[in-house]
């Protein structure tokens, strides 16, 4: 079973794709928008990744969710299941291939610091970056259960890494 897209070598266009998409989505968050961040593997120079641009949107609160979801739908996004209280998720596929994921979190949500810290660790430490890349490629090569299996097998590595680097 395939992942949402195939892992490919780092593409220097990914930050530009983030910037372009960030401009498209920003108006949908209005006054509640605090900030946006390029996260995930496409935000890490030199790291192979599924070419899916991950964007973290930090908001003051979740207001007018119906209007926001409708706006996002006009841009080709589908609202997924909330990942936790205060952590909304949108995805966009083009021709059956995932291209973008949007995480919308209320300021102060624990996942904000976690996602940014993980990204920064990968950017700062070439050994961690290489270990993570090797893990992802191995999981992709052995994957039989799709994206859920892939994510479940990555989680212990990420959790252990984050536990080691809390407070750095």
């Amino acid at each position: 079973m395939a992942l949402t897209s195939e892992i490919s070598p780092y593409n220097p266009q990914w930050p530009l794709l983030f910037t372009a998409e960030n401009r498209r989505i920003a108006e949908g968050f209005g006054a509640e928008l605090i900030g946006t961040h390029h996260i995930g593997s496409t935000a890490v120079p030199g790291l192979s990744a599924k070419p899916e641009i991950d964007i973290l949107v930090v908001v003051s609160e979740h207001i007018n969710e119906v209007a926001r979801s409708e706006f996002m739908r006009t841009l080709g996004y589908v609202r997924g299941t909330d990942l936790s209280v205060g952590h909304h998720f949108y995805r966009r596929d083009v021709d059956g291939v995932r291209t973008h994921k949007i995480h919308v979190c209320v300021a102060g949500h624990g996942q904000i610091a976690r996602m940014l810290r993980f990204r920064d660790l990968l950017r700062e430490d070439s050994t961690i970056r290489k270990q993570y890349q090797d893990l992802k490629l191995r999981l992709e090569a052995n994957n039989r259960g799709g994206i859920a299996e892939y994510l479940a097998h990555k989680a212990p590595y990420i959790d252990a890494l984050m536990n080691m680097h809390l407070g750095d």
Side-chain angles (χ1 to χ4, degrees):
M1 185 175 282
L3 302 181
T4 51
S5 57
E6 290 183 15
I7 295 174
S8 61
Y10 179 78
N11 183 336
Q13 293 297 308
W14 289 338
L16 302 174
L17 293 172
F18 159 75
T19 300
E21 195 63 14
N22 193 37
R23 283 190 201 111
R24 282 181 10 113
I25 67 168
E27 76 177 77
F29 294 91
E32 68 191 294
L33 179 66
I34 293 175
T36 59
H37 305 273
H38 188 188
I39 58 168
S41 294
T42 61
V44 180
L47 181 62
S48 294
K50 292 184 279 99
E52 303 171 6
I53 306 302
D54 285 283
I55 300 174
L56 169 61
V57 177
V58 180
V59 295
S60 57
E61 58 185 318
H62 289 297
I63 54 174
N64 207 352
E65 293 177 40
V66 173
R68 179 195 302 153
S69 290
E70 184 54 39
F71 173 79
M72 295 297 283
R73 194 173 3 267
T74 67
L75 299 179
Y77 285 89
V78 173
R79 174 132 179 219
T81 304
D82 290 355
L83 300 178
S84 64
V85 174
H87 184 173
H88 299 176
F89 180 76
Y90 293 86
R91 67 184 184 278
R92 185 172 86 179
D93 296 355
V94 175
D95 297 327
V97 176
R98 179 81 26 93
T99 62
H100 294 79
K101 296 177 290 199
I102 311 289
H103 297 263
V104 184
C105 293
V106 173
H109 193 287
Q111 284 299 313
I112 296 169
R114 181 178 169 89
M115 287 186 275
L116 294 174
R117 183 66 184 127
F118 183 60
R119 179 204 61 196
D120 292 346
L121 281 170
L122 292 170
R123 284 178 172 175
E124 296 163 3
D125 190 315
S126 62
T127 301
I128 292 172
R129 187 169 51 249
K130 174 84 167 84
Q131 289 171 346
Y132 186 58
Q133 178 172 283
D134 291 348
L135 172 64
K136 292 187 335 167
L137 292 170
R138 188 170 55 255
L139 292 175
E140 180 185 45
N142 297 319
N143 187 278
R144 301 293 172 260
I147 192 66
E149 174 187 294
Y150 174 80
L151 294 173
H153 285 97
K154 280 193 332 180
Y157 175 85
I158 295 169
D159 290 343
L161 182 67
M162 297 308 293
N163 287 337
M164 282 184 354
H165 292 277
L166 285 176
D168 278 1

